Amino acid sequence: MVEPKIENVRKVLVVGAGAMGSQIGLVCALAGYDVAVQDISPEMLDKAKEQLSARLNRNVERDRNSREEADAAFGRMEFTTDLEEAARDADFVIEAAVEKLDVKRDLFARLDRLTPEHAVLATNSSTIESSRIADATGRPDRVCNMHFFNPALVMKCVEVVKNPETSEATVATTVALTERIGKEPVVLNKEVPGFVANRILHALANEAISLYENGVASFEDIDTACRSALGHPMGPFELMDLTGIDVAYYVRNVKYERSGDERDKPARSIVERYERGDLGRKTGKGWYTYDSSGRKVPS
Ligand SMILES: NC(=O)c1ccc[n+]([C@@H]2O[C@H](COP(=O)([O-])OP(=O)(O)OC[C@H]3O[C@@H](n4cnc5c(N)ncnc54)[C@H](O)[C@@H]3O)[C@@H](O)[C@H]2O)c1
């Protein structure tokens, strides 16, 4: 068995060119790595290319990158539908494909056959722990979660989550890569649903909803308390409107399906909004109401 080492990482393969994968690819390219972004959809690859190029142009206009840096980073990126070709010389894989267990298991089985033996196979999944994928490969010791936050170009935190078989060399390599691409690693020694940051966020949101449903305070005032007393950039209800009430609804249903605990079910006020189609900013109404330019309308 060949142990992974950060010194051997030259090329990163990102699987999935969606919201997360495309930005993760650019983060790695800006740090000097050769990057292949692979997707089954040529349209998603075209869209990713277009958005990243526009993003780099904006960075140059705002003096965040020089023209040379931006061009060099983009020049280090390739966009392809050919997994076999992209995986052949990949030293580190970050899988950011659609959140479906069977798709990820199939991908990891193929990546195990296609990549060099030393390559770490990491998944960016938010809800699928790598132990549920690792046994589809012949290298479970080189599999872990490497969980970025949205938008990946901006957010600093990356959670590195060990599964029971993840080797220390895999954790060390993943932590070192996280640092080299300018992010801050948070290592989880064991798998827990939601990992650390989202678990805390979820607990906060549930407490906020419970205070609201019990008539303790209005949701507007609870948001104010989180902003002005706790220093959060936005309150839990404002955040729910941004990420989508449908997401809040699905996440709680998945948690309930897995735990069977009635307390994990989506709260009444979430179900009501979900059933009315008041899904937050994207529908113009959630907890708050928004005008066509996305500004909050005073209630
Ligand atoms: N969106 C977020 O806020 C966020 C944050 C952290 C982590 N994640 C995780 O990142 C992953 C991707 O999420 P996203 O929001 O970027 O999704 P997305 O829907 O924007 O992109 C998913 C991409 O995967 C591609 N895809 C589907 N099947 C594939 C396959 N077999 N091979 C290659 N590509 C395939 C799709 O064509 C699509 O481009 C998920 O695992 C999710 O849990 C998402």
Side-chain angles (χ1 to χ4, degrees):
M1 187 186 90
V2 187
E3 296 242 295
K5 279 200 200 102
I6 190 64
E7 293 75 24
N8 293 339
V9 180
R10 272 177 290 273
K11 175 175 164 182
V12 177
L13 163 61
V14 181
V15 179
M20 295 303 293
S22 57
Q23 293 211 0
I24 293 168
L26 183 54
V27 167
C28 296
L30 281 166
Y33 288 99
D34 290 332
V35 174
V37 178
Q38 186 273 349
D39 201 292
I40 46 170
S41 156
E43 293 78 27
M44 288 304 284
L45 289 165
D46 286 344
K47 190 169 151 203
K49 231 191 280 187
E50 222 171 90
Q51 285 178 344
L52 297 183
S53 166
R55 179 73 187 219
L56 282 169
N57 288 338
R58 269 207 309 282
N59 281 5
V60 172
E61 278 162 25
R62 293 176 189 172
D63 283 332
R64 291 193 186 129
N65 295 113
S66 67
R67 185 77 262 165
E68 293 70 35
E69 277 168 357
D71 289 347
F74 204 58
R76 279 190 286 272
M77 297 187 79
E78 63 163 304
F79 298 83
T80 180
T81 53
D82 188 342
L83 187 67
E84 191 170 337
E85 181 61 30
R88 199 203 312 261
D89 55 350
D91 305 302
F92 199 105
V93 179
I94 305 171
E95 174 276 318
V98 65
E99 189 72 341
K100 289 187 180 158
L101 181 60
D102 55 338
V103 172
K104 291 193 193 288
R105 284 184 64 85
D106 176 58
L107 267 170
F108 271 65
R110 291 176 64 203
L111 288 164
D112 184 36
R113 288 193 298 274
L114 297 171
T115 52
E117 210 189 326
H118 66 263
V120 170
L121 308 181
T123 174
N124 178 49
S125 175
S126 302
T127 63
I128 301 173
E129 299 87 355
S130 75
S131 58
R132 298 168 72 196
I133 309 174
D135 64 337
T137 75
R139 63 175 97 181
D141 56 295
R142 275 151 284 166
V143 175
C144 65
N145 286 80
M146 184 180 189
H147 182 232
F148 290 76
F149 289 79
N150 195 3
L153 275 162
V154 177
M155 302 300 278
K156 285 272 176 210
C157 184
V158 173
E159 292 172 323
V160 177
V161 189
K162 294 186 205 178
N163 74 57
E165 296 198 58
T166 308
S167 71
E168 286 311 315
T170 298
V171 176
T173 305
T174 310
V175 164
L177 179 64
T178 302
E179 288 168 344
R180 288 187 184 199
I181 60 174
K183 301 293 183 194
E184 281 184 34
V186 170
V187 176
L188 276 74
N189 296 314
K190 51 177 150 180
E191 296 178 332
V192 287
F195 308 142
V196 167
N198 284 341
R199 203 176 163 94
I200 291 171
L201 190 66
H202 196 83
L204 181 96
N206 282 349
E207 185 60 32
I209 293 167
S210 156
L211 288 168
Y212 164 71
E213 290 192 352
N214 283 305
V216 175
S218 67
F219 65 82
E220 293 94 333
D221 279 359
I222 296 169
D223 274 348
T224 301
C226 289
R227 273 189 272 99
S228 61
L230 306 179
H232 294 186
M234 63 177 83
F237 297 99
E238 290 164 328
L239 184 59
M240 248 183 282
D241 272 1
L242 184 69
T243 51
I245 307 270
D246 48 341
V247 175
Y249 176 83
Y250 294 137
V251 166
R252 283 163 179 78
N253 268 331
V254 168
K255 195 164 179 212
Y256 169 62
E257 274 163 28
R258 284 174 77 176
S259 73
D261 186 339
E262 293 284 318
R263 287 169 302 184
D264 289 334
K265 273 186 166 173
R268 178 174 39 82
S269 52
I270 293 188
V271 175
E272 281 166 8
R273 282 168 179 76
Y274 175 79
E275 288 177 350
R276 282 203 303 266
D278 292 339
L279 305 183
R281 283 182 173 272
K282 61 184 155 195
T283 60
K285 195 169 171 20
W287 290 97
Y288 296 90
T289 304
Y290 303 87
D291 67 19
S292 55
S293 59
R295 265 190 300 270
K296 233 193 246 174
V297 179
S299 49

